[in-house]
Amino acid sequence: MSELYIPKGYDPLLNEKETEHAIVMVKDFFQMALSTELNLTRVTAPLFVRSGTGVNDDLNGVERAVKFNVKDMGDTQMEIVHSLAKWKRLKVSEMGLMPGFGIYTDMNAIRADEELDNLHSLYVDQWDWEQCIDANDRSISYLKDTVKKIFRCLKRTEFYIYDRYEQIKPILPQDITFIYSDDLQRQFPDKTPKEREYEACKKYGAIFIIGIGGKLPDGSIHDGRAPDYDDWITETGDGHRGLNGDLMVWNPVLNNAMELSSMGIRVSPQSLKAQLEERGCPERSKLVFHSALLDGKLSLTMGGGIGQSRLCMYFLRKAHIGEIQVSSWPQEMRDSCKKAKINLL
């Protein structure tokens, strides 16, 4: 069993019925706030895509996609999405959206290689969003402005829940703090990336770590990121690299940092080529998605994913993501949770 954290003296603030009602409230309120802030229109999205096209999210490049063959399509192989990171860019381009406007959707995925714990499930549900931008928007200032808009949505959602459940007190800071991954590495050179996140989140309450996936000064990376959607190699003009990042908050129930969103400005043809070279996989340039991007056929975009169950877990002060969503868990984990009043659905 993966590591399970049991908060001492944990006692849920909402019972199961209240929790189910509150989940709907959080999701409905937040997605409306997000779509309004970022000018996003809702679209439907695929659960699976054709294998071998390069459209699926490769995550860290080692996770196995769940695959199956379709009888009525000549046994064509399909795979369950890991996320819609690249599919959304195709959709925005196909729709011909103007800069400043975009899409969002409910993304449902299966990640069979996930290490199961309080925050990680086989079942992944998130709001995947993508916004068309122009060349001038491919900047660190535009990224930060967008992060601030998303943080405002989080703040409004927090108040909305507190207004209805007064036992759930607001805890988000007034503002979000921006930190570059290389500065964080220099600040805590003897700590692991997770330990650095812990220290920064505990100090500031809410942070956005910029530059996820690119090499740090010591040659390591803060966290894995595929080379073909987020831009983590472009120089920002202030001595750093990376136009992407992770939005994280301090979770007092788990006494740890908690990632709510991964997002970024997407690769241009130039940065895609450079990132494929750096990761040693230039052959991907021949795939359908990559060829279209390198030929300049896709819109410039930025986008990301925001965990739905994680968001609900955070705002409703739950100790385990299984208190928000129905998934499968090792029996040992179920037994331990039951003893600790952690009600896995």
Side-chain angles (χ1 to χ4, degrees), residues 113-297:
D113 289 338
E114 200 71 87
E115 295 183 3
L116 308 180
D117 56 25
N118 298 70
L119 294 176
H120 297 89
S121 170
L122 296 173
Y123 170 61
V124 180
D125 58 338
Q126 64 186 33
W127 290 286
D128 258 350
W129 64 273
E130 199 82 6
Q131 183 190 75
C132 183
I133 61 176
D134 62 31
N136 293 329
D137 296 330
R138 300 193 78 260
S139 67
I140 196 66
S141 60
Y142 194 84
L143 174 66
K144 288 182 176 180
D145 286 344
T146 304
V147 172
K148 290 176 183 177
K149 290 178 180 179
I150 294 174
F151 189 68
R152 285 201 293 268
C153 295
L154 295 176
K155 292 280 288 182
R156 289 202 292 272
T157 305
E158 182 179 55
F159 171 74
Y160 177 71
I161 294 302
Y162 169 61
D163 195 40
R164 284 145 185 81
Y165 301 100
E166 61 180 13
Q167 68 270 40
I168 303 179
K169 311 294 184 185
I171 57 175
L172 284 172
Q174 187 61 36
D175 300 300
I176 190 166
T177 298
F178 293 93
I179 305 173
Y180 286 97
S181 58
D182 54 353
D183 285 342
L184 202 57
Q185 191 268 334
R186 279 187 282 265
Q187 187 177 355
F188 301 105
D190 299 325
K191 294 185 180 297
T192 67
K194 294 301 179 187
E195 290 170 340
R196 295 170 204 155
E197 292 171 356
Y198 175 96
E199 297 293 341
C201 272
K202 188 173 184 179
K203 180 178 180 179
Y204 297 109
I207 62 173
F208 187 80
I209 303 177
I210 302 171
I212 304 293
K215 288 184 179 179
L216 299 174
D218 64 354
S220 67
I221 59 175
H222 182 85
D223 198 4
R225 197 68 92 244
D228 41 20
Y229 54 96
D230 278 353
D231 188 327
W232 40 255
I233 203 168
T234 294
E235 294 184 3
T236 61
D238 50 7
H240 302 279
R241 291 199 312 168
L243 296 173
N244 73 331
D246 288 343
L247 193 160
M248 311 191 74
V249 295
W250 178 253
N251 187 319
V253 178
L254 299 181
N255 192 38
N256 210 338
M258 180 182 190
E259 180 188 327
L260 293 181
S261 175
S262 169
M263 58 174 284
I265 290 172
R266 306 310 196 186
V267 286
S268 64
Q270 295 75 22
S271 57
L272 172 63
K273 185 176 180 180
Q275 290 182 182
L276 291 178
E277 290 287 346
E278 183 165 311
R279 285 290 170 82
C281 52
E283 69 280 358
R284 286 196 195 179
S285 62
K286 299 178 182 179
L287 296 173
V288 175
F289 172 85
H290 304 68
S291 295
L293 201 161
L294 291 170
D295 289 343
K297 296 178 181 179

Side-chain angles (χ1 to χ4, degrees), residues 76-94:
T76 295
Q77 188 176 75
M78 300 288 183
E79 55 190 53
I80 305 294
V81 297
H82 280 143
S83 86
L84 300 172
K86 289 176 278 188
W87 177 87
K88 294 175 297 179
R89 188 167 184 178
L90 291 170
K91 186 68 173 179
V92 167
S93 301
E94 175 189 305

